[in-house]
Amino acid sequence: MNYEPTQIFFIVFSGIILMLLMSGFIIVMVLLHRQQQLRNRQKMENLKAEYDKTMLKVEKEIQDQTLSFIGQELHDNLGQILSLAKLTLNSPDEENYSEGKRLINHAIKEVRSLSKRLNLDWVKEVKLEDFIRGELQKIEKSGLCKTQFETSAQSLALDQDKKLVLIRVIQECLNNIIKHADPSMVYISLDQKDDRLSVTVKDDGNGFDVEDSSKGMGLHNLKSRIETIGGKLTVSSIIGIGTEIKLLLPFE
């Protein structure tokens, strides 16, 4: 088949145009892919920066709270034990001497216990269940209200960072209850199912309007912290009935 020169020119020209279009399409796709990679990389860097910022803030808050607790224990507990030991040892009675010795040994144990809390190593050692029980016992001892704790979790294996954030979020939930809820009962449950941990903090106090922007910042901060460790926080509250906060955290 013989082609006219104009036909040959048209075929060659069309082929060149098609090649240019394909080349342009490939270049555009490569550029879009690189831009997406850069955006993903930037997003990951932002997430990591937010995570690091959250961990630093949580660690500082827990350290500050620990120092406050230690100061109070030194004043109210250890100081009282040592004062009793001094009064007891001032008596020449041998029975009092034995009691004074016992009080001093007790004071030494208290000092060792407090020294462990000066850093965050206790977070590695403490079980989440034991920490929650301890926080609820503090509330009961204060006479504020009754408490209840239930768990179906067995041997939770949480890394230190996740446990640290969970501990701080639970503390903050309980602090909000103490400050604002005026409850007669505080209830916490731990539920472990397959690859997910569920923590529920509930009270029968005043409740509040979750849509009220003036009270939303604290909840936003709690949600942000849980999200940095891959979790989710939901809140439901009815004025005059109480509040329920649920924390969902997947296991890796």
Short mmCIF file of all heavy atoms in Angstrom, two decimals, residues 13 31 34 55 61 63 70-71 80 90 103 111 119 142 160 167-168 171 173 208 211 225 235 239 243 248:
data_model
loop_
_atom_site.label_atom_id
_atom_site.label_comp_id
_atom_site.label_asym_id
_atom_site.label_seq_id
_atom_site.Cartn_x
_atom_site.Cartn_y
_atom_site.Cartn_z
N PHE A 13 3.55 12.76 12.44
CA PHE A 13 3.19 13.85 13.35
C PHE A 13 2.30 13.36 14.49
O PHE A 13 2.46 13.74 15.65
CB PHE A 13 2.49 14.96 12.54
CG PHE A 13 2.10 16.15 13.36
CD1 PHE A 13 3.06 17.06 13.76
CD2 PHE A 13 0.78 16.34 13.73
CE1 PHE A 13 2.70 18.16 14.52
CE2 PHE A 13 0.41 17.42 14.49
CZ PHE A 13 1.37 18.35 14.90
N LEU A 31 5.44 13.50 39.07
CA LEU A 31 5.44 14.70 39.93
C LEU A 31 4.36 14.61 41.01
O LEU A 31 4.59 14.96 42.17
CB LEU A 31 5.23 15.95 39.07
CG LEU A 31 6.39 16.33 38.14
CD1 LEU A 31 6.00 17.51 37.26
CD2 LEU A 31 7.63 16.68 38.98
N ARG A 34 5.47 12.17 43.63
CA ARG A 34 6.50 12.75 44.51
C ARG A 34 5.88 13.75 45.48
O ARG A 34 6.26 13.80 46.65
CB ARG A 34 7.59 13.43 43.67
CG ARG A 34 8.44 12.45 42.87
CD ARG A 34 9.70 13.10 42.36
NE ARG A 34 10.55 13.54 43.45
CZ ARG A 34 11.70 14.19 43.28
NH1 ARG A 34 12.11 14.48 42.05
NH2 ARG A 34 12.43 14.54 44.30
N MET A 55 4.17 13.40 74.69
CA MET A 55 4.87 12.60 75.68
C MET A 55 5.65 13.48 76.65
O MET A 55 5.65 13.23 77.86
CB MET A 55 5.83 11.62 74.98
CG MET A 55 5.14 10.54 74.16
SD MET A 55 3.84 9.66 75.05
CE MET A 55 4.71 9.11 76.50
N GLU A 61 3.86 16.63 83.46
CA GLU A 61 2.69 16.71 84.34
C GLU A 61 2.74 15.65 85.43
O GLU A 61 2.44 15.94 86.60
CB GLU A 61 1.41 16.57 83.52
CG GLU A 61 1.08 17.78 82.67
CD GLU A 61 -0.10 17.57 81.76
OE1 GLU A 61 -0.55 16.41 81.63
OE2 GLU A 61 -0.58 18.54 81.17
N GLN A 63 5.44 14.12 86.54
CA GLN A 63 6.53 14.44 87.45
C GLN A 63 6.14 15.55 88.43
O GLN A 63 6.43 15.47 89.62
CB GLN A 63 7.78 14.85 86.65
CG GLN A 63 8.47 13.66 85.98
CD GLN A 63 9.57 14.09 85.04
OE1 GLN A 63 9.61 15.23 84.57
NE2 GLN A 63 10.46 13.16 84.72
N ILE A 70 4.78 13.81 96.77
CA ILE A 70 5.89 13.53 97.69
C ILE A 70 5.99 14.61 98.76
O ILE A 70 6.21 14.32 99.94
CB ILE A 70 7.21 13.41 96.90
CG1 ILE A 70 7.21 12.09 96.10
CG2 ILE A 70 8.42 13.44 97.83
CD1 ILE A 70 8.38 11.92 95.18
N GLY A 71 5.81 15.87 98.35
CA GLY A 71 5.84 16.96 99.33
C GLY A 71 4.77 16.78 100.39
O GLY A 71 5.03 16.99 101.59
N GLN A 80 5.15 12.99 110.41
CA GLN A 80 4.42 12.51 111.59
C GLN A 80 5.08 11.26 112.17
O GLN A 80 5.20 11.13 113.39
CB GLN A 80 2.98 12.21 111.20
CG GLN A 80 2.10 11.82 112.39
CD GLN A 80 0.67 11.56 111.97
OE1 GLN A 80 0.39 11.35 110.79
NE2 GLN A 80 -0.25 11.55 112.93
N ASN A 90 12.56 9.44 123.23
CA ASN A 90 12.92 10.31 124.36
C ASN A 90 12.61 9.66 125.70
O ASN A 90 13.11 10.09 126.74
CB ASN A 90 12.19 11.65 124.26
CG ASN A 90 12.86 12.59 123.27
OD1 ASN A 90 14.05 12.45 122.99
ND2 ASN A 90 12.11 13.53 122.73
N LEU A 103 9.18 2.43 114.31
CA LEU A 103 8.76 3.63 113.58
C LEU A 103 9.85 4.12 112.64
O LEU A 103 9.57 4.55 111.52
CB LEU A 103 8.40 4.74 114.58
CG LEU A 103 7.08 4.54 115.34
CD1 LEU A 103 6.97 5.57 116.47
CD2 LEU A 103 5.89 4.65 114.40
N VAL A 111 10.59 6.33 102.84
CA VAL A 111 11.56 7.11 102.06
C VAL A 111 11.94 6.36 100.79
O VAL A 111 12.01 6.95 99.69
CB VAL A 111 12.82 7.42 102.89
CG1 VAL A 111 13.92 8.01 102.00
CG2 VAL A 111 12.48 8.40 104.01
N ASN A 119 11.33 9.41 89.66
CA ASN A 119 11.46 9.30 88.21
C ASN A 119 10.28 8.48 87.68
O ASN A 119 9.40 8.10 88.44
CB ASN A 119 12.80 8.66 87.82
CG ASN A 119 13.01 7.33 88.53
OD1 ASN A 119 12.10 6.50 88.57
ND2 ASN A 119 14.19 7.13 89.10
N SER A 142 -10.60 10.10 100.78
CA SER A 142 -10.91 11.52 100.94
C SER A 142 -12.35 11.74 101.42
O SER A 142 -12.71 12.82 101.86
CB SER A 142 -10.71 12.26 99.62
OG SER A 142 -11.72 11.91 98.68
N GLN A 160 5.61 1.48 77.65
CA GLN A 160 5.65 2.54 78.66
C GLN A 160 4.94 3.82 78.20
O GLN A 160 4.22 4.45 78.97
CB GLN A 160 7.10 2.87 79.03
CG GLN A 160 7.20 3.94 80.12
CD GLN A 160 8.63 4.19 80.55
OE1 GLN A 160 9.51 3.39 80.29
NE2 GLN A 160 8.87 5.31 81.22
N ILE A 167 -2.42 6.53 81.82
CA ILE A 167 -2.42 6.91 83.24
C ILE A 167 -2.78 8.38 83.39
O ILE A 167 -3.62 8.76 84.23
CB ILE A 167 -1.04 6.61 83.86
CG1 ILE A 167 -0.93 5.11 84.17
CG2 ILE A 167 -0.82 7.42 85.13
CD1 ILE A 167 0.44 4.69 84.67
N ARG A 168 -2.18 9.23 82.57
CA ARG A 168 -2.42 10.67 82.69
C ARG A 168 -3.85 11.02 82.30
O ARG A 168 -4.49 11.88 82.94
CB ARG A 168 -1.43 11.45 81.83
CG ARG A 168 -1.50 12.95 82.01
CD ARG A 168 -1.19 13.34 83.43
NE ARG A 168 -1.51 14.73 83.68
CZ ARG A 168 -2.17 15.19 84.72
NH1 ARG A 168 -2.63 14.36 85.63
NH2 ARG A 168 -2.41 16.47 84.87
N GLN A 171 -6.11 9.96 85.11
CA GLN A 171 -5.95 10.93 86.20
C GLN A 171 -6.75 12.19 85.93
O GLN A 171 -7.43 12.72 86.81
CB GLN A 171 -4.47 11.29 86.38
CG GLN A 171 -3.67 10.26 87.14
CD GLN A 171 -2.23 10.70 87.31
OE1 GLN A 171 -1.67 11.39 86.46
NE2 GLN A 171 -1.61 10.30 88.40
N CYS A 173 -9.34 12.58 83.95
CA CYS A 173 -10.78 12.29 84.04
C CYS A 173 -11.24 12.32 85.50
O CYS A 173 -12.27 12.91 85.83
CB CYS A 173 -11.09 10.93 83.43
SG CYS A 173 -10.93 10.86 81.63
N PHE A 208 -22.90 17.40 82.17
CA PHE A 208 -22.70 18.69 81.50
C PHE A 208 -23.10 18.57 80.03
O PHE A 208 -23.30 17.47 79.51
CB PHE A 208 -21.24 19.16 81.62
CG PHE A 208 -20.25 18.27 80.92
CD1 PHE A 208 -19.81 18.57 79.64
CD2 PHE A 208 -19.78 17.12 81.55
CE1 PHE A 208 -18.90 17.76 78.99
CE2 PHE A 208 -18.86 16.29 80.89
CZ PHE A 208 -18.42 16.61 79.63
N GLU A 211 -21.73 19.80 74.14
CA GLU A 211 -21.64 20.75 73.04
C GLU A 211 -21.21 22.14 73.51
O GLU A 211 -20.99 23.03 72.68
CB GLU A 211 -22.98 20.86 72.31
CG GLU A 211 -23.50 19.55 71.74
CD GLU A 211 -22.57 18.99 70.69
OE1 GLU A 211 -21.92 19.79 69.98
OE2 GLU A 211 -22.48 17.75 70.58
N ARG A 225 -4.53 13.53 73.03
CA ARG A 225 -3.52 12.67 73.64
C ARG A 225 -3.76 11.20 73.31
O ARG A 225 -2.83 10.47 72.98
CB ARG A 225 -3.51 12.87 75.16
CG ARG A 225 -2.97 14.23 75.54
CD ARG A 225 -2.83 14.39 77.03
NE ARG A 225 -2.23 15.67 77.33
CZ ARG A 225 -1.85 16.04 78.54
NH1 ARG A 225 -2.02 15.24 79.56
NH2 ARG A 225 -1.30 17.23 78.74
N VAL A 235 -17.25 10.71 74.61
CA VAL A 235 -17.86 11.24 75.83
C VAL A 235 -19.37 11.31 75.65
O VAL A 235 -19.86 11.78 74.62
CB VAL A 235 -17.32 12.66 76.16
CG1 VAL A 235 -17.95 13.17 77.45
CG2 VAL A 235 -15.82 12.66 76.27
N ILE A 239 -27.04 16.09 81.87
CA ILE A 239 -27.08 16.97 83.03
C ILE A 239 -28.01 16.37 84.09
O ILE A 239 -29.14 16.00 83.82
CB ILE A 239 -27.56 18.37 82.62
CG1 ILE A 239 -26.53 19.01 81.68
CG2 ILE A 239 -27.78 19.26 83.85
CD1 ILE A 239 -26.95 20.36 81.12
N THR A 243 -21.82 11.30 83.74
CA THR A 243 -20.94 11.35 82.56
C THR A 243 -20.25 10.01 82.38
O THR A 243 -19.88 9.36 83.36
CB THR A 243 -19.89 12.46 82.72
OG1 THR A 243 -20.54 13.71 82.88
CG2 THR A 243 -18.97 12.52 81.50
N LEU A 248 -10.74 3.85 73.90
CA LEU A 248 -10.49 2.64 73.11
C LEU A 248 -9.07 2.68 72.58
O LEU A 248 -8.67 3.64 71.93
CB LEU A 248 -11.47 2.54 71.95
CG LEU A 248 -12.95 2.40 72.32
CD1 LEU A 248 -13.81 2.42 71.07
CD2 LEU A 248 -13.19 1.11 73.10
#
